Amino acid sequence: MTQADTTGHAAGAGATDQAGHVRSNLPFLTLGAIGVVYGDIGTSPIYAFRQAMAVRPGAAATNIEVLGLLSLIVWALTLTVAVKYVFFVTRADNKGEGGTLSLMALARKTFTNPPVWITALGVLGAALFFGDAIITPAVSVLSAVEGVELVQPGMTRWVVPITLVLILGVFAVQRFGTARVSIVFGPVTSIWFLTLGVAGVAQIIQHPEVLWALNPLLGVQFLATHFGIAFVVIGAIFLAVTGAEALYVDLGHFGRKPIVLAWFGLVFPCLLLNYFGQGAFVISHGVENVSSPFFEMIPEWGLLPFVILATMATIIASQAVITGTFSLTQQAIALNMLPRMVVQHTSAMQSGQIYMPQINTMLMIGVLVLVVTFGSSAALSNAYGIAVSGVMIVTLSLLVVVMWRNWKWHPLAVILFGAVYLLIDGGFFAANAAKLFQGGWVPAVVAIAVALVMWSWMAGRKRLAEKTRRDEVPLQFLVDNLAKKKPNTVPGTAIFLTSDVEGAPTALLHSLKHYKVLHEQNVILTVRTSTSPRVPDDEKVTIDAYNELFFRVIVTFGFMEEPNIPKALALARKLGWKFDIMSTSFFLSRRSLKLGQKSGPLRFWQDRIFIRLARNASDATEYFHIPTGRVVEIGTQVVI
């Protein structure tokens, strides 16, 4: 979920795939995928191999040890990214969309009554993504700016200030949208990958024996002979595959084919060449003489432009994570997993171009604090990995459900696949969890806090709905009584919003109590969110008539869609309802929540969190794009 919508929903003639991407635009979609999907994993060579070498104790490393570390990186990229994500995960699309919440919705579709643990996995995956979102911009930009230390050693003290300025700039421009800037993402990142490949080839030519690292037994041998530090090494190796989740998250923006072509056509070969090049450089110079092989293997004349290019690449990687967080939050709100927040659309052409000021501010503060607190990418790398590896386990867990229930795989095949990748992903998670007290607690704390907020919101909504249902009057009963004793009517249409399809809206009851009149047309409107990312226009609105006074209208939006009620109701004209916004009044209930008696400390604090979230939720009028001049709000107090 990133700014990929800028290029992802291209227009033009020609056949389209399931997600609506025009096949004739395949080269442009592939170029866009290079810039957006692979921005994060493309910056991993800056620090991944360096950290892997740094965790090995001793002043010198043998060639076999260097080859062993390289072999681990090569096969981590191959098994985790090329096989798991490219061949399998990207096939688990929810009508063209990907990501943890899309996968959760896809898995839930196969159950009549979805088990709670599937929803819990979705909450956990989304929360872990937030934990990763504050780490990626900090470690990426810091690692690139640190390259100036090689250009000018006296610049060391300026690394953190420069990083802070760059990060402030990145977050400051979010409100203007990324449509124009993202046009250059693909070309710049393509140049970046080509530069990585060329830099690696220059070193491989001098020491071609480094290609022996393709042998997976060298990696196994390294772990066997360094058993005492195996977990630490695996944690460092994992840095090479961070960003793999973007292949799935951005599936709906580009489609599977461009993502696969970009990976095998450019990204994967260039990453491997660069890692091999770093290994060759270390072999030729000795590990004790190399502190940052990524930058040191670049000729002195090209170092400054290379640092500038690396900084641009890390900014692009940060941009993808930031806008991805906006999109994930929007999905969570649509699925009622988070309270409504302000969503500003920065493009009139692309619905995916959004800006969320509250999320932007929270992310910015978190990233700035991390940069100041840790001060270097080496220190911050200890905090990197727990969240990403956790998301991978969540994705795997939901994927095996889809394989079993959607794809109808044989249970033994599902178990075998799950066992193999649970061993790999579980090993990565355990290795990163070992760094919990060296900085790994940061994303863990963020993820726990977000999960607590999401779970409290969902639990609070459920309790509020149950209490409201107990206190309200059945709608059918009210309609029947009003049909027998018809009150005075006034011209126009009244639309009463309610989440309960059976109960009479509180706003309707209060309106009758105080005004003692009805409109000529009274619409009980319920907005639902589908488990599909988008709902076709001809399926968005359903209308049922109780009598000549009352109508039931249900509007269904996909969880990736903007919930615009006036536009949806305009579609109802095709069903025979002549909807006129200028003769319509929208009646909303504004609940004032009060804390009731305590029922245990956990429930008490969960209710307090829910009430605080509800009070700070954005206005329903703005969220559903209802004209403010047509809204009547009726207050009511509810004790929970």
Side-chain angles (χ1 to χ4, degrees):
M1 334 261 181
T2 62
Q3 71 284 356
D5 286 291
T6 310
T7 55
H9 299 288
T16 60
D17 61 15
Q18 185 179 8
H21 304 107
V22 184
R23 292 174 186 170
S24 60
N25 287 330
L26 184 60
F28 297 99
L29 292 172
T30 303
L31 183 65
I34 291 171
V36 175
V37 176
Y38 297 109
D40 189 3
I41 200 170
T43 57
S44 297
I46 300 176
Y47 46 80
F49 186 65
R50 179 196 69 191
Q51 289 302 113
M53 294 298 300
V55 298
R56 184 204 168 279
T62 65
N63 291 355
I64 291 296
E65 289 176 318
V66 174
L67 293 177
L69 289 172
L70 277 177
S71 180
L72 290 172
I73 290 178
V74 168
W75 287 101
L77 283 169
T78 302
L79 294 176
T80 299
V81 186
V83 177
K84 178 187 173 184
Y85 277 91
V86 174
F87 281 118
F88 291 104
V89 177
T90 55
R91 297 180 188 273
D93 66 291
N94 188 348
K95 294 188 177 179
E97 294 294 337
T100 301
L101 295 182
S102 291
L103 189 59
M104 178 199 73
L106 186 63
R108 285 171 58 112
K109 283 182 181 180
T110 62
F111 295 90
T112 304
N113 294 308
V116 176
W117 60 267
I118 290 184
T119 303
L121 283 173
V123 170
L124 179 60
L128 288 168
F129 184 90
F130 280 97
D132 172 53
I134 68 168
I135 302 290
T136 297
V139 71
S140 297
V141 179
L142 251 180
S143 62
V145 175
E146 285 170 348
V148 303
E149 296 175 337
L150 299 176
V151 179
Q152 181 56 257
M155 292 288 290
T156 301
R157 62 192 180 95
W158 291 100
V159 168
V160 170
I162 292 173
T163 301
L164 294 176
V165 171
L166 289 173
I167 289 173
L168 280 170
V170 169
F171 282 100
V173 301
Q174 296 303 312
R175 69 184 63 203
F176 303 112
T178 58
R180 295 179 181 176
V181 181
S182 61
I183 294 175
V184 304
F185 283 4
V188 170
T189 310
S190 297
I191 294 172
W192 168 252
F193 280 116
L194 290 172
T195 305
L196 293 184
V198 171
V201 169
Q203 300 298 322
I204 296 171
I205 291 174
Q206 300 178 43
H207 294 277
E209 66 271 19
V210 77
L211 296 176
W212 281 109
L214 289 169
N215 182 358
L217 294 179
L218 291 175
V220 175
Q221 178 183 339
F222 182 94
L223 294 177
T225 56
H226 297 76
F227 190 76
I229 60 167
F231 260 12
V232 182
V233 170
I234 292 173
I237 295 299
F238 182 73
L239 296 174
V241 299
T242 53
E245 192 71 17
L247 275 77
Y248 187 46
V249 169
D250 288 304
L251 187 63
H253 297 144
F254 296 100
R256 184 173 183 272
K257 191 171 183 179
I259 290 175
V260 173
L261 287 176
W263 173 254
F264 287 109
L266 179 68
V267 178
F268 192 33
C270 290
L271 287 176
L272 292 182
L273 289 173
N274 191 265
Y275 282 119
F276 282 132
Q278 291 188 53
F281 184 80
V282 170
I283 289 174
S284 62
H285 290 75
V287 67
E288 68 277 7
N289 300 317
V290 179
S291 59
S292 181
F294 179 79
F295 286 111
E296 290 178 28
M297 70 179 185
I298 304 299
E300 187 175 349
W301 56 266
L303 189 55
L304 181 57
F306 187 69
V307 170
I308 295 174
L309 180 61
T311 303
M312 294 174 64
T314 55
I315 289 174
I316 290 173
S318 302
Q319 177 65 57
V321 171
I322 294 168
T323 52
T325 307
F326 294 161
S327 295
L328 181 70
T329 305
Q330 185 186 35
Q331 284 189 43
I333 293 171
L335 293 169
N336 293 321
M337 298 168 73
L338 282 174
R340 293 186 302 267
M341 300 184 199
V342 176
V343 180
Q344 298 176 6
H345 292 263
T346 59
S347 171
M349 302 299 295
Q350 301 295 339
S351 61
Q353 289 285 334
I354 62 173
Y355 168 66
M356 304 188 70
Q358 295 158 296
I359 298 298
N360 192 65
T361 300
M362 288 188 286
L363 271 182
M364 180 183 68
I365 293 173
V367 173
L368 293 175
V369 169
L370 286 180
V371 171
V372 173
T373 303
F374 287 86
S376 71
S377 62
L380 196 53
S381 65
N382 289 324
Y384 206 21
I386 289 183
V388 185
S389 57
V391 172
M392 288 184 175
I393 291 179
V394 170
T395 298
L396 175 65
S397 302
L398 293 172
L399 179 64
V400 295
V401 175
V402 172
M403 287 177 166
W404 169 40
R405 297 183 65 89
N406 293 61
W407 298 352
K408 307 301 180 183
W409 276 28
H410 192 282
L412 288 179
V414 174
I415 292 172
L416 180 61
F417 179 89
V420 169
Y421 276 99
L422 181 61
L423 179 64
I424 297 173
D425 294 345
F428 281 139
F429 181 78
N432 283 289
K435 300 185 292 185
L436 184 66
F437 298 104
Q438 285 76 46
W441 59 270
V442 174
V445 168
V446 172
I448 291 171
V450 173
L452 177 62
V453 167
M454 295 176 77
W455 204 256
S456 297
W457 178 254
M458 290 189 294
R461 275 181 54 86
K462 182 179 179 181
R463 285 197 292 272
L464 180 61
E466 291 172 350
K467 180 172 179 59
T468 303
R469 194 174 294 114
R470 288 196 302 267
D471 297 339
E472 67 188 9
V473 177
L475 179 60
Q476 188 65 58
F477 175 79
L478 178 65
V479 169
D480 292 341
N481 278 323
L482 291 175
K484 296 175 183 177
K485 186 178 181 181
K486 186 177 179 180
N488 295 326
T489 59
V490 295
T493 300
I495 296 181
F496 299 91
L497 270 72
T498 178
S499 58
D500 186 1
V501 295
E502 296 180 356
T506 305
L508 171 59
L509 297 174
H510 281 264
S511 177
L512 284 170
K513 177 181 178 182
H514 294 289
Y515 304 140
K516 297 179 175 58
V517 295
L518 279 177
H519 284 70
E520 290 176 335
Q521 284 188 325
N522 299 275
V523 177
I524 312 303
L525 177 64
T526 299
V527 177
R528 288 178 171 174
T529 302
S530 171
T531 54
S532 298
R534 292 176 178 82
V535 175
D537 285 350
D538 58 353
E539 299 177 12
K540 263 191 172 63
V541 182
T542 58
I543 300 177
D544 292 310
Y546 289 101
N547 51 40
E548 74 265 6
L549 279 178
F550 284 93
F551 298 84
R552 155 67 64 195
V553 175
I554 297 177
V555 179
T556 306
F557 295 102
F559 62 80
M560 289 288 290
E561 292 183 293
E562 177 186 6
N564 191 312
I565 286 181
K567 283 186 178 179
L569 293 181
L571 298 172
R573 293 186 181 125
K574 297 179 181 178
L575 301 176
W577 179 27
K578 296 180 180 179
F579 171 70
D580 180 11
I581 189 73
M582 298 310 296
S583 64
T584 300
S585 297
F586 292 84
F587 288 80
L588 279 68
S589 300
R590 180 176 287 276
R591 295 186 180 97
S592 175
L593 304 180
K594 300 294 182 182
L595 196 63
Q597 289 184 337
K598 299 181 182 179
S599 56
L602 179 61
R603 167 76 177 272
F604 174 73
W605 284 105
Q606 196 175 55
D607 286 343
R608 288 178 66 92
I609 293 173
F610 173 70
I611 291 174
R612 178 62 62 89
L613 292 172
R615 288 175 180 172
N616 288 279
S618 65
D619 188 57
T621 303
E622 180 181 2
Y623 182 74
F624 290 114
H625 298 272
I626 304 172
T628 54
R630 313 304 308 174
V631 173
V632 178
E633 289 192 347
I634 298 178
T636 162
Q637 189 175 101
V638 180
V639 179
I640 63 171

